[in-house]
Amino acid sequence: ARGPMFRETMTTLALDFGLKCGWAVGTADRLPFESGVWRLHEGNLRERGGRWLKLWRHLKNVDALYGPIKVIVFEAVRRHEGISAAHVYGGLRAIAELFAESRGERFIEVRTVEVAHVKQYATGKGNARKEKMLSVARQRFAFEIIDDNQADALWILAATVAPKADPQKQLFTKG
């Protein structure tokens, strides 16, 4: 999934969209800087757009702490479990794309990666279940993984910036 302009030091932010949004940020020579899960439930934000504002604030924070972000990547989800999931995915994707565009001259490239490609990269099977993705991530990554959302973001990041790495070996250490 490397484009022709990809450089080893390009800071990449991988996102696994959902109300529990997995995220991982790193470069090909330092994977990951950090990763985790953002809870995007509206919570005490009274506006109906609370989850969108939360994502925007998280993106700004990651960009300030680990950036400048040069690439945002996420799975190109073609089917959803329900209408609400489709709406959440579309809204979060729109916010990420808007954030990238809002950087003006400091261009952030937006990329997608096929779900089956990430699963194939991680497990050797393009239709692996979430439980398998999480289990393999806990074996391969050298730090604690919160849940399948964080695991998916780590796999999205790895498949994007280190596509030739052997995911069957222990991959990354906490930097």
Side-chain angles (χ1 to χ4, degrees):
R2 286 187 184 191
M5 298 296 290
F6 191 88
R7 292 188 316 271
E8 299 299 308
T9 58
M10 288 176 60
T11 301
T12 300
L13 174 62
L15 299 169
D16 181 50
F17 291 133
L19 293 180
K20 292 181 184 173
C21 182
W23 65 278
V25 62
T27 63
D29 56 356
R30 186 160 176 225
L31 284 168
F33 293 156
E34 192 60 73
S35 65
V37 176
W38 298 322
R39 295 185 55 77
L40 300 178
H41 301 353
E42 292 181 49
N44 61 2
L45 291 174
R46 294 179 190 213
E47 316 84 43
R48 292 190 54 83
R51 65 181 50 126
W52 319 131
L53 288 172
K54 282 184 178 182
L55 178 60
W56 185 272
R57 290 174 187 151
H58 286 304
L59 293 172
K60 280 181 65 175
N61 190 43
V62 166
D63 194 40
L65 289 173
Y66 306 105
I69 295 170
K70 296 292 187 182
V71 178
I72 295 175
V73 63
F74 47 85
E75 290 176 317
V77 178
R78 311 255 185 243
R79 289 189 348 199
H80 298 276
E81 292 182 17
I83 293 172
S84 291
H87 290 179
V88 168
Y89 173 87
L92 296 175
R93 179 177 177 158
I95 294 301
E97 290 173 347
L98 181 62
F99 180 80
E101 286 296 321
S102 76
R103 303 295 91 184
E105 291 183 20
R106 194 172 64 73
F107 179 76
I108 298 176
E109 181 181 350
V110 175
R111 297 182 186 179
T112 60
V113 61
E114 294 298 323
V115 174
H117 175 76
V118 174
K119 291 175 182 279
Q120 177 74 33
Y121 178 86
T123 68
K125 191 174 180 185
N127 62 350
R129 300 180 68 84
K130 282 198 171 290
E131 299 81 17
K132 181 68 173 176
M133 296 286 287
L134 178 58
S135 167
V136 172
R138 286 186 168 147
Q139 293 170 8
R140 303 294 185 253
F141 294 98
F143 49 89
E144 184 178 344
I145 296 178
I146 298 167
D147 64 14
D148 59 287
N149 303 295
Q150 181 184 12
D152 286 353
L154 287 162
W155 286 125
I156 293 165
L157 180 65
T160 302
V161 301
K164 295 183 189 240
D166 182 355
Q168 303 310 309
K169 295 180 180 173
Q170 190 173 50
L171 288 175
F172 315 120
T173 58
K174 193 78 160 168

